[in-house]
Amino acid sequence: MTLLVPFDDSELSRAALRKAAELGDLRDEEVLALSAIPDDADFARDRGWIAEDEPLRMEELESALQSRAKEVAPESTFRIELVGSDEPTATAASTVVRAIRRVANEVGASVVFVGSENAGSVIRPDASVGGSVASDRAYDVYVVRKTE
C-alpha cells in the first residue's frame, strides 16, 4: 500500500509529508509525494511558487517541488501531475482534486495525508483542495492542521 501526500510546498503539506514518512517507516509503506500542477500562472503565483512578474516555467517548478519534497522526506517517491482544465467551468483547484483522487485510486493509497487548515470543516472555501480530497471514502484521510 501507499501513503499519498498532496504536496504544494506549503508549511502544512511539508508537515503532512513528515508525518507520512514517519508512518511509512513504521508500517514499511511507500510514501508518495504528489504535486498536481495546473498550467495556470495565477495559481502558481497564489501559492508562492513564482514571483508576480515571473512566467510559469513548468520544468523549473517541477524540479523545485521535487527538491523540496526530498528535503522533507528523502526516502519518499515524488510524482508530478500536470493538470489542465478539460471543462470550461472547471477551476484550477477542482482539476487538482480530480488528479489527487485519480492517483490515490491508481496507486491504491491506504491513507492520504492532507495538510489543510480547513479540510473536513463544515464550511469549505471553493479553492480548498484539502476538504474535497478528504471527502472521498476510497481511502483513509489524515488531516494535518498544525506545522509542529
Side-chain angles (χ1 to χ4, degrees):
M1 299 298 272
T2 300
L3 306 176
L4 177 65
V5 184
F7 183 80
D8 65 2
D9 196 36
S10 65
E11 286 299 315
L12 285 171
S13 73
R14 286 173 156 265
L17 184 55
R18 276 191 299 277
K19 291 182 185 294
E22 291 170 8
L23 184 61
D25 285 345
L26 290 173
R27 293 175 44 168
D28 196 28
E29 289 190 61
E30 177 187 6
V31 175
L32 174 60
L34 171 68
S35 290
I37 305 172
D39 187 11
D40 180 343
D42 289 335
F43 186 89
R45 284 186 191 96
D46 289 346
R47 275 143 191 83
W49 295 339
I50 59 174
E52 192 62 38
D53 58 346
E54 186 180 0
L56 179 59
R57 295 182 191 95
M58 291 302 245
E59 288 182 12
E60 290 177 21
L61 179 56
E62 290 175 33
S63 178
L65 287 170
Q66 180 173 10
S67 175
R68 291 174 188 144
K70 289 295 190 174
E71 287 172 10
V72 175
E75 301 301 318
S76 66
T77 302
F78 182 80
R79 179 170 168 177
I80 288 279
E81 287 290 313
L82 302 178
V83 297
S85 180
D86 50 2
E87 301 172 26
T89 59
T91 64
S94 68
T95 59
V96 168
V97 167
R98 280 197 304 270
I100 294 167
R101 286 178 165 175
R102 180 179 43 75
V103 171
N105 184 48
E106 182 182 304
V107 300
S110 58
V111 181
V112 175
F113 284 72
V114 178
S116 175
E117 293 174 338
N118 54 28
S121 298
V122 173
I123 299 172
R124 295 183 304 198
D126 290 337
S128 172
V129 170
S132 298
V133 171
S135 67
D136 195 319
R137 298 194 185 278
Y139 40 77
D140 286 335
V141 177
Y142 185 115
V143 179
V144 178
R145 294 186 176 142
K146 296 180 183 178
T147 57
E148 71 259 357

